[in-house]
Structure formats: structure tokens, C-alpha cells
Amino acid sequence: MIFGAILAGGVGSRMNIESMPKQYLPLNEKPVFIHTLEKFLLCSEFDAVFIGTHGDWVEYTKDAVAQYGFGETPVHVVQGGADRNGTILEIIKAIEERYGESDEHVIVTHDSVRPFVKVSTIKANIEAAQKFGACDTVIPATDTIVESLDGELISSIPLRSNMYQGQTPQSFKVKTLKDLYASLTDAERAELTDACKILVLKGKPVHLVLGDVTNIKLTTIMDYKTAQAMIECGVDE
């Protein structure tokens, strides 16, 4: 079975908005995360879509999902974990409680604040995860990447043609992701920035799926204003 996992547990601290996390901000009269959910529900491949959110926002999220109404694909709202990967694990737990365990289950994880993801990108993730076991959505880096180990001096300048900017979705065979996470040491878990690094730390291959420059993440106020402009220009159509 194939499951969507929309990660909506963040508190949006970099937005400096006290009233609500950024995924609940209105975008063309609908919360940001609803735009994201709508994209997932355009993919008939999903057996269900899960939304993992902060405990304080579970009921609000359920109400919003009910308000905007959706089709036949079940949408489940669950309380997330302490961090990104913790939320993914809580969603996996909910999947297995509702639908059982299987070596063939696939999970497509995506930031709730990337509402412009293309349906074709989601479908490409599903296909790659089924075929390869894990994949990450990326776009080629357009700027030169500078590495500094101390924040003061350049340590290296990697070849730009080898560099990519990571996006989401990131998609996996559920059992593979769960088992590898369980095998990490505390030190390895402290290194994690996203789910794909779980596999990288264990030397497992992660296939690349080409994303799109419009698949922006709403992190700052400027991102939010850009998203509003993109909606007005019809980028989301």
C-alpha cells in the first residue's frame, strides 16, 4: 500500500508569527497545508494520507480537513513527535496500527509548507520508492556551494555540477526506514537533518528524483509573500 505523510509539526519560529504556525497561515483563503493536501489527493495511487502535527493543533487540523472536504482517499490526522523524524515515526506507527505491517508499504513524506509541489513529482517519488526503496527530490544547485568548518574560513568549494539542493518529497519503503532508524546510535541520530540521512549514514542508496524550482518551502515572511504572488500568478494551477 502507498501512504502520504504530510509533516505539519513545526512551530514556524523563523516566521516570527505568534498567532499560529506557518502551515496554518491563509494562502488564497485556505491554510497552506490544505493546498499541500490537495496536491496529494490528486494522486489516485495513495491508499491514505496522514498529517502529523503538533499536539496543540491536532483538533484544529482535523476541523480544517473536515471544512474543506475531500474525496474517497482517507485523511488521518495524528500527533507528531518531538522532531521531524519523530513525526514520521508516529505516522508509521499509525499506518501499521490501521493497515498492518508489510515489506511493500511505501511512505511519501513531504513538508506541509511546500504547497506548490507538482503532482508529477509526487508520482515520480512513488515509482522510485517502489523500484529503489528510497528516493529524495532534488534540484541542481545554481549557486557555488562554499563549505566552512569553523564559520570563518573556507574549508572547500565542492564542484557545483555535483551539488544538488534537497527538497521534498522524500519517499521510502516503510520497513526499511523504520529498521534503519532503530539501528542508529544516539550520536548518529544527533546528526540527522532529514529522513534521507538515515539511509546515508547506514550506507544505503537513495535514488534522486528531479524536483522543480517552484517547489519552494515557506520558511520566512519573504517566502510567504512569494507564495502569495505565485498564487496570484496562477503558478499553483
Side-chain angles (χ1 to χ4, degrees), residues 8-11 52-55 78-91 181:
V11 295
T53 189
H54 190 281
V78 301
Q79 182 171 329
D83 56 21
R84 180 188 190 84
N85 290 308
T87 295
I88 294 173
L89 291 173
E90 288 299 321
I91 291 175
Y181 184 83

Side-chain angles (χ1 to χ4, degrees), residues 4 19 31 41 61 79 84 103 123 157 164-165 186 205 218-219:
S19 59
L41 295 180
T61 304
Q79 182 171 329
R84 180 188 190 84
D103 290 348
K123 289 179 179 288
I157 301 179
Y164 294 83
Q165 295 170 228
D186 289 342
L218 278 59
T219 302

Side-chain angles (χ1 to χ4, degrees), residues 192-210:
L192 296 178
T193 53
D194 65 4
C196 281
K197 193 162 185 179
I198 297 169
L199 281 80
V200 173
L201 286 171
K202 291 301 179 180
K204 302 298 182 181
V206 179
H207 186 73
L208 298 184
V209 170
L210 187 62

Side-chain angles (χ1 to χ4, degrees), residues 67-79:
Q67 176 184 350
Y68 289 96
F70 294 103
E72 297 180 356
T73 304
V75 178
H76 306 294
V77 178
V78 301
Q79 182 171 329

